[in-house]
Amino acid sequence: MIRIALATTAALMAVAVLPAAAQQAVQPVLLDGTVLDVSATGTSTRVPDLAVIQAGVVTQAASAGQAMQQNSAQMAKVLAALRKAGIAERDIQTATVNLSPQYRYVQNEAPVITGYQASNQVSIRFRDVAKSGTILDTLVAEGANDISGPNLTVDKPEGALDEARVDAVKKARARAELYAQAAGLKVDRILAISENGALPPSPMPVMAMRAGKSEVADSLQVLAGERELNVTVSVRFLLK
């Protein structure tokens, strides 16, 4: 998306903002020409190299202690499976731990506690996206019954964002040249550039499930695809 603002002036004052403590006189810079403001969005693409999922265990029991005990035992198997699959400790992080009573509701009667539900969920980063499907299958086999993701993203997007910045400036320059030609002018120089916001790749949700072993397919495939990264810049040109 490109936004254009065009203004003709005999003298445009560009004033630098000084600290109040400096108490110095500011000298205006006089510009003789036409000022053109262009906003342009640059893009670049990358294949996602990081998959993030939330995986955990939900258990129910008659008492809070039993629910937590069962949950802890089942979660230990899930964590052991992750470590056995080669997931580093730095890529496993506890996301949520929750214990809540379960109620039976009857009209015109006070709710009655029928048991307790315990849940424990961890956030897991897979640095080999192609293997994330296999690991998800393993997690379910080991008792994980609350899974969402994977979210596919780019681990280090800085290089791709720089490419998008260059693309944005090129697009802004090309559009400025077009407007200058249409107005019978030429682009003299760039007066200012500002970045409106670099947009890292939004995570791509692939699946969310809460299921038992029998409800999951034998083999889950996760396809990385391609992600688009965007940067928007505003450029002020001087036309003569």
Side-chain angles (χ1 to χ4, degrees):
M1 178 180 72
I2 298 180
R3 296 191 301 273
I4 309 298
L6 186 62
T8 302
T9 178
L12 175 73
M13 293 190 301
V15 180
V17 179
L18 297 178
Q23 298 296 323
Q24 297 179 358
V26 177
Q27 298 297 326
V29 178
L30 301 181
L31 301 174
D32 184 12
T34 299
V35 174
L36 173 68
D37 290 331
V38 178
S39 179
T41 299
T43 62
S44 64
T45 57
R46 288 291 188 278
V47 174
D49 58 1
L50 186 68
V52 181
I53 74 162
Q54 304 286 327
V57 171
V58 178
T59 55
Q60 295 190 27
S63 69
Q66 289 176 335
M68 289 298 292
Q69 184 177 16
Q70 293 175 14
N71 190 279
S72 178
Q74 198 165 329
M75 195 64 188
K77 295 180 181 179
V78 170
L79 294 175
L82 287 172
R83 297 184 179 103
K84 186 177 181 181
I87 304 299
E89 291 293 335
R90 66 190 179 102
D91 290 330
I92 306 173
Q93 184 180 51
T94 297
T96 60
V97 177
N98 186 57
L99 176 66
S100 58
Q102 302 298 292
Y103 295 94
R104 182 180 69 243
Y105 295 93
V106 179
Q107 190 173 6
N108 298 326
E109 293 183 13
V112 177
I113 295 177
T114 59
Y116 291 84
Q117 182 181 83
S119 63
N120 188 346
Q121 195 172 61
V122 293
S123 177
I124 310 155
R125 294 185 296 181
F126 301 123
R127 298 182 185 276
D128 187 347
V129 175
K131 292 183 179 179
S132 56
T134 301
I135 295 176
L136 284 169
D137 290 339
T138 301
L139 288 174
V140 175
E142 291 298 328
N145 57 5
D146 188 7
I147 296 175
S148 62
N151 294 326
L152 306 180
T153 186
V154 178
D155 187 23
K156 297 179 179 180
E158 292 80 8
L161 291 173
D162 284 344
E163 290 179 12
R165 291 181 177 102
V166 172
D167 182 51
V169 173
K170 287 181 178 179
K171 287 179 178 177
R173 180 80 188 203
R175 189 55 60 93
E177 296 282 0
L178 177 66
Y179 273 83
Q181 182 180 4
L185 301 171
K186 291 185 178 180
V187 175
D188 182 66
R189 60 192 173 95
I190 291 176
L191 300 177
I193 301 177
S194 64
E195 184 172 315
N196 297 342
L199 305 177
S202 300
M204 182 192 304
V206 176
M207 62 171 287
M209 64 181 183
R210 178 175 292 183
K213 298 179 184 179
S214 61
E215 299 177 38
V216 179
D218 293 336
S219 180
L220 176 65
Q221 292 186 346
V222 175
L223 306 178
E226 192 173 67
R227 304 297 292 151
E228 184 178 279
L229 297 90
N230 302 307
V231 174
T232 299
V233 299
S234 294
V235 185
R236 173 164 290 180
F237 297 91
L238 179 64
L239 310 184
K240 290 187 176 181

